[in-house]
Amino acid sequence: MHLTRFRFNTHRPGARKLLSSSQALHAAVMGGFPDLLPSTSPSNDPLTGLLAVNGAENGTSGAGPGKPRVLWRVDRNAKAEVFLYVVSPDRPELTHLVEQAGWPQAEADSGWQTHDYAGFLSRLETGQTWAFRLTANPVHSIRRKDGEETKPTAHVTPRHQARWLLKKQEQCGFEVLRGRNPDPAMPEVDGYELLVHDRNSAGFDKPDPRPGRKGKRMRVPVVTATFDGRLTVTDPDALRRALSSGIGRAKAYGCGLMTLAPVS
């Protein structure tokens, strides 16, 4: 596993274009992994069958549930300080991102930094305390009327979004710490060291597949929220799976990547 950080040059039109479209940025991220790029002539590739058998078929961004996959997240720390983080089984090659959205002429700097992540994951132990950040797509399944199939529906308030994450704690191998300064605006999660911010519901457009709508586009809503807080490790194996395979839905659109940092 690898953890990569890339800094956007927000003065460049290419960077602004990527940051305005989760679809375009997803394609750019996946472009850093040659083995995951779609093949134009798979029938001529003698390895196609072998790759499919081993779960690495072209065009996929990861394996099955709970398996390591390519995850990414954008952190907007300031107007001119925007970072892309990528967790991946393979080491990425991001020259195309540097040329489009970085500083191609900068000396002594490749434009991105990739570090061994497997070693860090192997050192996780029960009882450790870490600061964390997660951008996620907090949803729940509801049935609007009897007999109807359940449908995923986004949580839109900070209170319900925080509650969504707290319900994930046990299965993901951590507990969010309780603090001393409860937020009166979030009574259901009073006392937890958890901040919900950068809430967004922009989504993206895609071709409309419905009959009679050829050539039209439809809006696909993707509600996201970023969570900052502190946690204690309760199940290292479960937390390792969560960190390498993602938490929640919409992973292709910049959701699900949790990162840890030492508590200051």
Side-chain angles (χ1 to χ4, degrees), residues 89-252:
D90 301 316
R91 179 181 291 269
E93 210 295 325
L94 302 180
T95 301
H96 63 294
L97 265 180
V98 176
E99 293 173 346
Q100 181 179 357
W103 286 267
Q105 303 302 319
E107 296 182 2
D109 188 353
S110 66
W112 72 92
Q113 299 83 42
T114 296
H115 304 278
D116 171 59
Y117 202 41
F120 170 78
L121 295 176
S122 69
R123 293 190 294 272
L124 292 174
E125 296 181 358
T126 301
Q128 290 176 337
T129 299
W130 298 92
F132 71 87
R133 172 167 288 182
L134 165 70
T135 294
N137 171 226
V139 301
H140 64 302
S141 295
I142 64 171
R143 180 178 290 107
R144 298 185 183 277
K145 58 184 179 181
D146 292 341
E148 183 183 65
E149 293 185 359
T150 59
K151 296 181 179 180
T153 302
H155 290 299
V156 295
T157 68
R159 180 176 64 244
H160 288 100
Q161 290 171 340
R163 186 187 297 172
W164 171 87
L165 179 60
L166 294 174
K167 288 182 178 179
K168 297 282 186 182
Q169 295 179 103
E170 183 176 358
Q171 72 181 76
C172 292
F174 66 86
E175 287 184 356
V176 178
L177 296 182
R178 292 181 178 273
R180 299 180 179 179
N181 299 305
D183 184 347
M186 299 167 59
E188 277 75 8
V189 292
D190 266 358
Y192 286 99
E193 295 192 22
L194 181 62
L195 173 66
V196 184
H197 62 101
D198 288 347
R199 296 161 54 242
N200 191 295
S201 59
F204 60 91
D205 294 322
K206 73 170 188 177
D208 194 333
R210 292 174 292 184
R213 303 283 293 176
K214 185 177 181 179
K216 303 292 184 180
R217 300 184 67 82
M218 62 182 295
R219 192 70 176 170
V220 178
V222 178
V223 173
T224 63
T226 296
F227 304 88
D228 285 345
R230 299 202 298 171
L231 60 78
T232 297
V233 180
T234 58
D235 183 339
D237 288 335
L239 183 55
R240 277 188 277 268
R241 287 192 296 271
L243 294 175
S244 59
S245 63
I247 299 174
R249 302 166 63 98
K251 297 181 181 72

